[in-house]
Amino acid sequence: MNARVIGTALRMQLAESRRQPAHLLILVTSPLFAVMFLSIAKHSSSDVAIVNAIFAPALISLWFLSLDLGGATINRERWQQTLNQLIGTPARLSAVVFGRVLAVVLLAGLTFVEAYLMARFIFGVHVRIPHPWLLSGTVVVTLFAMAGTATALAGLFVLSRQVLLFQNAMTYPFYILGAVLVPVALLPVWLQPFTRVFFLSWASELVRGSLRPEAVSLWPWRMVAIAGLGAAALIAGVVMTERVVDRLRRTGEAAYS
Amino acid sequence: MTSYAVQTRGLRRVYTPRRTEPRVSLDGIDLEIEVGEVHGLLGPNGAGKTTLVKILSTVLLPTEGSAAILGRDVVRDRNEVRRLVGCVFGGERGLYTRVSTRRNMLFWASLYGLPRREARTRSEELIERVGLAERADEPVENLSRGMMQRVHLARGLIGDPKVILLDEPTTGLDPVAALDFQQLIREMVADGRSVLLTTHDLDEAEAMCGRVSMIDHGKLLMTAAVRDIGARLASADRVDFRTEDVSVVEKVRSHPEVTEVSPLDVPGTYRAQPASQQGVGEVIRLLLDAGVVSVSTTPPSLEEVYLHVIGDRGMAL
């Protein structure tokens, strides 16, 4: 994938999102989620619950926006009839898709900042961050993994006309699988192995770990797990996107149905 | 070996949608467009024009046969072909309307692999050339239809293509904007580019094209130079004349070579259609002998040839 094409697509997505406030609606709804979670957490007076309450809304927003906006990237090109022109250029469609998705994920990343500011200034919760570098690194790797996963979803969704069904089905179950609301250790034992193939569970655990004073065990490997799963998803996304292109050239249609 | 701007050989495209019968969109098209030529592709809706443009721009594969742009095969050499071809569509298709013309141009320049500085320079040149410099930072959706069409043209030229495919580029434009757009195309051709223009507008084809091809139901029905197109009709030139004397009109009507006499828009003017070119001379002599001084001949128009070749399909598919 050409880095310049990715950068150009990223800038195009940011420019379009600036002109379409609906794209940024999540930045308004995310603090409302944070209010709900923080209210419950403050009532319980549990430090763990408060940490969860700050970062769960951010991770939820990140997943939701990636699913909603990132996942629909190729379909949006179809609707505005730019897909044929994109395919008719020497650039790879997957580079354009990844660039656009990356922009969406970066925008969604602002919800981490929002959640922290809500806790600090609305609820007066001062969260100490014992491992700031680990937290920063985890957020960066998580954003990359999210972009890779959303690229795969964009390729997957374009093959179906039931996009909304997929998008709706992939919210709450994935918050559980991603250990966003409940730590993996508290999930049913039979479910725990499934969480390990989903990068968000590693990310959630590492974010929580970076906010506790004790040393975080095996953090480099856990970081590699997030990056690896994200990279695998990105490769799958590139393959699927190029298959969409092949299918479109062969049949004249992008979707199977 | 001559390298044509566009060359197709037995080009066939069959769509096979699920649960419905296969549909032949192109059926053995043989077409050659010379370098530097403006070639019109005429045909009703569903004739196969857009399918041909899609194949030539590499976004659709042919089912059989071959197509080449400047000697490069659209399947085998698709990356080379993509650098040689620029596509221009009509309406809002293919533009990011929420962002500015400048943003659109830089985006497409990057996709065509132009280095950053060249992308900026070329974008500015093209924006200037299509007369949008003052509105280059406005969202495209704020522009008029004619201006949007100019953005399309600038976008289609960003990769410096040698062959431009224009797919109904003036659909929905008012006459002034359409003329303006046609002038821009002439300038592009003067730069040495070749153009394939698909259109419903026969006046536009007549004004712009050196040769035209007519296509229907996926078959190429004819290709001819616009100036010779009248010869494709069996009928001869028409004789237009002006007279206030109704008996002269009746004399012309009763001439054995004349198949039809019809009044024209201007009162006192008529058009006679002789059956042969010899009849044209006889009708002119008859009119001059009757003291009619306003007489002229015109060849059959492209519209007449189109209706003759394509037939009156109306809404039928």
Side-chain angles (χ1 to χ4, degrees):
Chain A
M1 284 200 288
N2 184 316
R4 185 148 166 257
V5 173
I6 294 171
T8 308
L10 186 149
R11 284 192 293 278
M12 173 60 93
Q13 181 62 50
L14 290 178
E16 284 194 316
S17 292
R18 265 203 307 274
R19 296 273 311 164
Q20 294 179 83
H23 283 192
L24 306 174
L25 204 59
I26 199 77
L27 298 178
V28 177
T29 56
S30 179
L32 300 176
F33 270 115
V35 167
M36 181 178 75
F37 283 104
L38 279 164
S39 301
I40 297 166
K42 270 205 93 173
H43 186 73
S44 74
S45 305
S46 155
D47 285 349
V48 175
I50 286 175
V51 166
N52 253 349
I54 294 172
F55 287 98
L59 288 168
I60 287 173
S61 302
L62 187 61
W63 177 248
F64 180 80
L65 200 62
S66 302
L67 201 63
D68 184 45
L69 206 54
T73 298
I74 302 178
N75 272 327
R76 273 202 313 280
E77 302 286 0
R78 277 169 75 192
W79 296 327
Q80 57 194 3
Q81 300 186 64
T82 43
L83 189 56
N84 277 339
Q85 275 99 321
L86 287 174
I87 292 170
T89 69
R92 280 178 170 269
L93 179 65
S94 50
V96 175
V97 172
F98 183 64
R100 281 186 170 277
V101 161
L102 202 55
V104 170
V105 168
L106 289 177
L107 284 175
L110 292 175
T111 56
F112 279 99
V113 181
E114 276 189 329
Y116 179 82
L117 293 176
M118 285 291 290
R120 180 86 180 82
F121 295 107
I122 307 291
F123 286 84
V125 177
H126 183 65
V127 184
R128 284 185 53 249
I129 304 176
H131 308 286
W133 291 110
L134 180 59
L135 178 63
S136 307
T138 303
V139 169
V140 169
V141 177
T142 301
L143 293 179
F144 163 74
M146 188 63 84
T149 306
T151 303
L153 294 175
L156 184 68
F157 288 171
V158 79
L159 297 174
S160 167
R161 286 186 184 163
Q162 305 294 327
V163 179
L164 283 177
L165 195 70
F166 272 110
Q167 283 173 329
N168 289 333
M170 291 179 76
T171 52
Y172 287 99
F174 281 74
Y175 301 150
I176 302 295
L177 273 180
V180 172
L181 301 170
V182 183
V184 173
L186 298 181
L187 292 174
V189 175
W190 65 266
L191 190 59
Q192 290 180 16
F194 294 102
T195 65
R196 291 308 176 202
V197 292
F198 186 33
F199 78 93
L200 209 50
S201 70
W202 296 92
S204 306
E205 300 279 280
L206 211 47
V207 165
R208 285 190 198 101
S210 67
L211 295 168
R212 291 198 195 106
E214 59 266 28
V216 181
S217 64
L218 298 173
W219 66 262
W221 293 111
R222 292 158 79 178
M223 201 86 98
V224 167
I226 301 171
L229 288 168
L234 177 59
I235 291 167
V238 169
V239 170
M240 269 192 282
T241 305
E242 296 310 322
R243 285 207 170 171
V244 167
V245 172
D246 286 345
R247 181 179 163 73
L248 196 60
R249 295 184 68 224
R250 212 175 52 250
T251 67
E253 291 174 9
Y256 278 120
S257 49
Chain B
M1 188 183 127
T2 312
S3 184
Y4 292 97
V6 175
Q7 185 177 37
T8 70
R9 283 270 173 270
L11 192 65
R12 184 175 160 84
R13 173 71 212 192
V14 182
Y15 289 102
T16 48
R18 288 184 170 198
R19 293 184 288 275
T20 53
E21 289 294 305
R23 185 169 53 81
V24 178
S25 185
L26 291 178
D27 195 2
I29 299 284
D30 292 318
L31 181 66
E32 285 167 353
I33 300 176
E34 303 279 352
V35 172
E37 179 183 347
V38 180
H39 194 99
L41 189 63
L42 307 174
N45 289 333
K49 303 187 298 292
T50 299
T51 298
L52 179 59
V53 168
K54 282 185 176 178
I55 289 175
L56 295 176
S57 58
T58 77
V59 301
L60 194 64
L61 291 170
T63 310
E64 284 173 37
S66 66
I69 302 287
L70 291 166
R72 271 72 158 196
D73 188 88
V74 296
V75 178
R76 200 178 51 241
D77 312 315
R78 68 170 189 258
N79 280 333
E80 279 180 83
V81 169
R82 286 171 182 173
R83 291 179 196 284
L84 292 170
V85 166
C87 249
V88 177
F89 297 98
E92 292 183 8
R93 287 185 294 163
L95 291 176
Y96 296 104
T97 55
R98 303 266 183 165
V99 300
S100 69
T101 300
R102 186 167 278 128
R103 170 73 60 193
N104 268 280
M105 295 298 286
L106 290 172
F107 177 77
W108 292 105
S110 170
L111 266 55
Y112 276 95
L114 267 65
R116 199 162 279 135
R117 184 176 293 179
E118 194 184 333
R120 264 200 298 270
T121 312
R122 187 148 181 77
S123 296
E124 293 308 317
E125 275 173 12
L126 287 169
I127 288 169
E128 184 76 38
R129 186 158 187 184
V130 298
L132 289 174
E134 286 179 16
R135 303 189 68 175
D137 290 317
E138 278 184 47
V140 170
E141 63 190 354
N142 290 359
L143 303 179
S144 69
R145 194 76 189 261
M147 289 177 179
M148 222 178 258
Q149 209 48 47
R150 292 194 237 164
V151 180
H152 270 298
L153 183 60
R155 192 206 67 82
L157 292 169
I158 193 72
D160 195 18
K162 300 288 176 270
V163 178
I164 309 173
L165 308 174
L166 301 166
D167 192 8
E168 296 176 16
T170 54
T171 302
L173 289 190
D174 64 61
V176 174
L179 285 173
D180 189 29
F181 187 79
Q182 287 169 12
Q183 183 52 37
L184 282 170
I185 299 299
R186 285 192 191 93
E187 289 173 25
M188 304 306 152
V189 175
D191 288 348
R193 300 175 211 275
S194 313
V195 172
L196 174 64
L197 166 73
T198 79
T199 183
H200 293 298
D201 186 339
L202 302 176
D203 291 336
E204 179 176 73
E206 209 154 14
M208 298 285 300
C209 304
R211 289 193 307 155
V212 291
S213 292
M214 293 189 192
I215 184 173
D216 194 19
H217 291 113
K219 287 186 187 294
L220 193 66
L221 302 177
M222 62 162 284
T223 296
V226 170
R227 64 173 181 277
D228 301 333
I229 201 103
R232 295 294 171 133
L233 276 185
S235 59
D237 288 359
R238 291 83 48 89
V239 181
D240 295 347
F241 60 97
R242 183 187 178 93
T243 180
E244 302 299 329
D245 188 346
V246 180
S247 67
V248 173
V249 179
E250 285 311 312
K251 266 188 197 167
V252 173
R253 187 168 279 138
S254 58
H255 190 284
E257 276 289 322
V258 173
T259 58
E260 187 186 3
V261 176
S262 50
L264 296 174
D265 291 341
V266 179
T269 59
Y270 300 87
R271 170 167 291 171
Q273 178 65 70
S276 68
Q277 209 59 35
Q278 185 193 335
V280 173
E282 290 176 17
V283 170
I284 292 172
R285 262 195 304 279
L286 184 155
L287 289 166
L288 294 175
D289 290 348
V292 177
V293 291
S294 177
V295 181
S296 64
T297 60
T298 51
S301 67
L302 181 57
E303 183 177 353
E304 285 169 273
V305 178
Y306 179 87
L307 288 174
H308 178 77
V309 174
I310 303 285
D312 186 8
R313 256 170 62 167
M315 299 289 279
L317 293 175

